[in-house]
Each structure stands twice: as structure tokens, then as C-alpha cells.
């Protein structure tokens, strides 16, 4: 498996995703043909996330090689991610990155920009050209839960514990997680999960649609590998077009969706069978 050198990715410009720069912020990134794997790699701190984590994720998204079709997001060690680094709540903050105290002193425009930049680390995982798969074991708390929600699919170990802890800490979930959560489980369940900050374990996650599959902890890597192979078995362009259709479905009427299907199919058939005569 090659270290990703990020020549010129989809963003069209070079980003620093060297192993060294990512290791400094607790990330690993490997590209193997059509599969990219991102690993949260601070297991001793339960893969707690910082602003640097999110800018690292955004850089990976910008530099993702064109050939990549499946992005696996995983966490090293016992937990997928224990959420935001709790040092953010202290006056000292995270060295070089500030604290919630310093964020609170930002002007409105700077605050908006700071959070928007953080969200960029998550949003690209929904691009139609890729399918993102979260492999989730142990705790996925707050930002960890939202990172799993940012992915298209979640394969979880039977010890998984999802928790949207932000409201218990006086915050709202703002790392792109609220929309996918509502879309996956519905408004009432999302309200219950967020406003109680309760833990959702594997059986419930499967039942309510938060997880596609539950496997043993030891079986997680194999299950993700199998799903990746299945995802790669379909036609690349048809898969991207179908994902565009599925993503747009909720925002369209049936008639609009049918029109969108026709438009995508016209492009597919022209591409496959030689274009209009
Ligand atoms: N930020 C910084 N360090 C953390 C975090 C975190 N979010 N979570 C765990 N750690 C550190 C611990 O301080 C500890 O460090 P130490 O060994 O230097 O003392 C180490 O990781 C291991 O943590 P334990 O609590 O001993 O591990 P355990 O497996 O028993 O528990 C658990 C894991 C349940 C995740 C627990 O660590 C925890 O509750 N963490 C905080 C979760 C949290 O509130 N996150 C914020 C959510 S809100 C948001 O993300 C916006």
C-alpha cells in the first residue's frame, strides 16, 4: 500500500498530505489503487479530534487521486473517536490551535469561517464520485459520531457506542452531522438521540438504520474489505451518476426525480453506446 503523495487531486492543486505532516496531527492516509484509507491514529487519546484533524481531512479530500472510488474512514485502537479534544474546553486549549475561549473571542465572520473550514473536513466524504465507508468500533462520540455520519455507509463492531454528546456540553453538533442523522433515523429519533446525549449501541444502530452491518470486533476489517470489493464491482461512472440521483431524491418531486433519471440515463447510454446520431 503506497503512501499518498497527492500529486494533483480533484481540487486541481497540490496539498500537503505527506505521511509526516499527517502523523503530526494523528492521521494516516494510504491509497491502494481505487481504495483510500484514512485512519484516525491517536489511539492513546481515543482518536480525539482537533481543528488540525479537520484541516487534515479537508486536505486529503482536496488531494484525493482521481482513481479513488472508495474511501474507508477508521480509527486505530479501542475507539473510533472520543470526539473533540477536551483540551479545547480548558483555558490553555490545544497547543497551536487555541481553545473554545479563543474561538469565542473571534468576530462573527472569523467564527463563521473557522467552523466552515472545519466542516470542509467532513463534507467531501459525500461526493458522488466516491463511496465513503466508516468502520466504527468502540466509542464514536460527538465529533466522532459526526465523522461516522459524514460517511455514506457505516459498518460497526458489536461494541460500538454512538453518542451525540454536544448538547450535554452546552454545544450543538456542527460538524455536518445533524442532516444525515435526521435522514437516517428520522426527526423523532434524532431528537431523542441528540437531546438526551444517550448511547446508541450496535443492535439499535442496526435497527434504526445508523449502521448497515454489525460484525464482531475482529471481523470489522474483513467486513469493510468485503463491502469495498462489492462497491468496486459496479461501473464507476454509473455508480457516481446513481449516487447523484439518490442524493438528490429527497429534494425533488417524483416528476423532477424522473426527469433527473432520464437526464443521467441519456448520458450513460450515450457514453456506453456511442452518442446521439
Ligand atoms: N479529548 C482528549 N483526550 C481524550 C478524549 C478527548 N475527547 N477522550 C479520551 N481522552 C484521553 C483520556 O484523557 C486518556 O488520556 P490519559 O491516558 O493521558 O489519561 C485517554 O484518552 C484514555 O481515555 P480513557 O477515558 O481512560 O479511556 P476509556 O476507554 O476508559 O474511555 C471514553 C473512553 C468513554 C471515550 C472516555 O475517554 C470519554 O468519555 N472521553 C470524552 C468524550 C467526550 O466527552 N468527548 C467530547 C464530545 S463533544 C464533541 O466532540 C464536540
Amino acid at each position: 500500500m503506497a503512501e499518498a503523495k497527492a500529486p494533483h487531486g480533484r481540487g486541481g492543486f497540490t496539498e500537503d498530505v505527506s505521511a509526516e505532516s499527517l502523523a503530526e496531527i494523528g492521521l494516516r492516509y494510504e491509497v491502494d489503487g481505487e481504495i483510500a484509507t484514512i485512519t484516525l491514529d491517536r489511539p492513546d487519546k481515543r482518536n480525539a479530534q482537533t481543528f488540525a484533524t479537520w484541516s487534515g481531512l479537508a486536505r486529503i479530500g482536496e488531494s484525493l487521486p482521481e482513481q479513488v472510488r472508495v474511501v474507508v474512514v477508521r480509527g486505530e485502537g479501542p475507539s473510533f473517536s472520543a470526539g473533540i479534544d477536551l483540551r479545547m474546553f480548558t483555558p490553555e486549549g490545544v497547543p497551536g490551535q487555541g481553545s473554545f475561549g479563543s474561538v469565542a473571542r473571534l468576530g462573527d465572520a472569523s467564527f463563521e469561517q473557522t467552523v466552515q473550514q472545519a466542516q470542509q473536513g467532513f463534507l467531501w466524504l459525500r461526493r458522488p464520485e466516491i463511496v465513503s465507508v466508516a468502520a466504527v468500533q468502540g466509542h464514536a462520540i460527538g465529533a466522532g459520531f459526526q465523522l461516522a455520519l459524514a460517511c455514506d455507509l457505516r459498518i460497526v463492531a458489536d461494541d460500538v457506542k454512538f453518542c451525540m454528546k454536544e448538547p450535554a456540553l452546552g454545544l450543538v453538533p456542527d460538524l455536518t452531522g445533524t442532516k444525515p442523522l435526521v435522514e437516517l433515523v428520522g426527526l423523532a429519533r434524532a431528537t431523542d438521540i441528540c437531546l438526551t446525549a444517550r448511547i446508541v449501541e450496535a443492535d439499535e444502530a442496526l435497527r434504526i438504520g445508523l449502521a448497515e452491518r454489525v460484525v464482531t470486533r475482529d471481523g470489522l476489517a474483513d467486513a469493510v474489505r468485503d463491502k469495498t470489493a462489492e462497491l468496486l464491482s459496479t461501473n464507476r461512472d454509473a455508480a457516481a451518476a446513481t449516487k447523484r440521483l439518490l442524493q438528490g431524491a429527497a429534494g425533488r418531486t417524483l416528476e423532477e426525480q424522473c426527469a433527473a433519471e432520464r437526464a443521467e440515463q441519456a448520458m450513460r447510454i450515450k457514453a456506453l453506446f456511442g452518442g446521439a446520431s
Side-chain angles (χ1 to χ4, degrees):
M1 196 176 279
E3 173 198 327
K5 291 285 188 217
H8 291 279
R10 291 163 211 251
F13 48 89
T14 307
E15 294 281 351
D16 183 6
V17 289
S18 64
E20 300 73 32
S21 76
L22 292 176
E24 277 172 24
I25 55 176
L27 285 175
R28 274 197 345 255
Y29 168 48
E30 286 135 348
V31 174
D32 183 9
E34 296 179 304
I35 306 164
T37 304
I38 300 171
T39 302
L40 304 175
D41 194 18
R42 275 211 301 159
D44 53 324
K45 299 296 177 191
R46 302 298 182 263
N47 300 321
Q49 302 175 35
T50 65
F51 281 101
T53 314
W54 305 323
S55 87
L57 290 172
R59 291 204 303 277
I60 292 172
E62 288 291 346
S63 62
L64 199 71
E66 295 277 351
Q67 83 264 13
V68 170
R69 290 186 60 191
V70 177
V71 176
V72 175
V73 180
R74 59 182 295 279
E76 199 63 61
S79 293
F80 178 72
S81 172
I84 198 166
D85 194 312
L86 293 175
R87 289 176 299 174
M88 283 296 292
F89 291 85
T90 66
E92 302 76 32
V94 179
Q97 299 185 53
S99 64
F100 279 126
S102 55
V103 172
R105 289 189 290 278
L106 293 173
D108 289 349
S110 301
F111 178 85
E112 169 80 12
Q113 192 184 20
T114 300
V115 180
Q116 203 171 12
Q117 275 172 359
Q119 291 170 335
Q120 295 309 312
F122 295 67
L123 282 177
W124 66 270
L125 290 160
R126 291 279 182 202
R127 278 186 206 148
E129 300 79 25
I130 58 168
V131 182
S132 48
V133 181
V136 191
Q137 82 284 4
H139 289 94
I141 303 180
F145 190 2
Q146 293 191 72
L147 182 57
L149 285 166
C151 293
D152 294 309
L153 308 175
R154 281 147 296 280
I155 298 180
V156 307
D158 51 15
D159 66 350
V160 78
K161 289 182 172 54
F162 290 110
C163 172
M164 199 66 90
K165 196 162 175 189
E166 285 84 344
L169 299 172
L171 301 172
V172 300
D174 68 345
L175 293 168
T176 78
T178 54
K179 187 170 169 66
L181 182 64
V182 170
E183 286 172 353
L184 286 169
V185 306
L187 179 57
R189 279 204 185 99
T191 303
D192 171 33
I193 289 168
C194 293
L195 273 58
T196 62
R198 69 181 177 82
I199 286 172
V200 178
E201 297 196 2
D203 289 352
E204 183 182 4
L206 186 65
R207 181 167 49 79
I208 68 177
L210 261 184
E212 274 57 53
R213 199 172 159 204
V214 178
V215 296
T216 62
R217 181 71 168 264
D218 288 345
L220 188 56
D222 282 347
V224 170
R225 207 170 297 122
D226 291 348
K227 182 55 66 188
T228 300
E230 281 179 55
L231 289 165
L232 291 177
S233 71
T234 54
N235 176 283
R236 169 191 286 266
D237 295 327
T242 304
K243 187 171 166 188
R244 276 195 299 273
L245 280 173
L246 296 173
Q247 286 180 318
R252 297 194 192 104
T253 64
L254 180 57
E255 282 176 5
E256 289 165 346
Q257 184 69 4
C258 288
E261 288 177 0
R262 293 194 296 273
E264 291 285 8
Q265 196 70 304
M267 285 191 282
R268 294 306 317 132
I269 288 178
K270 281 174 190 164
L272 288 172
F273 302 106
S277 55

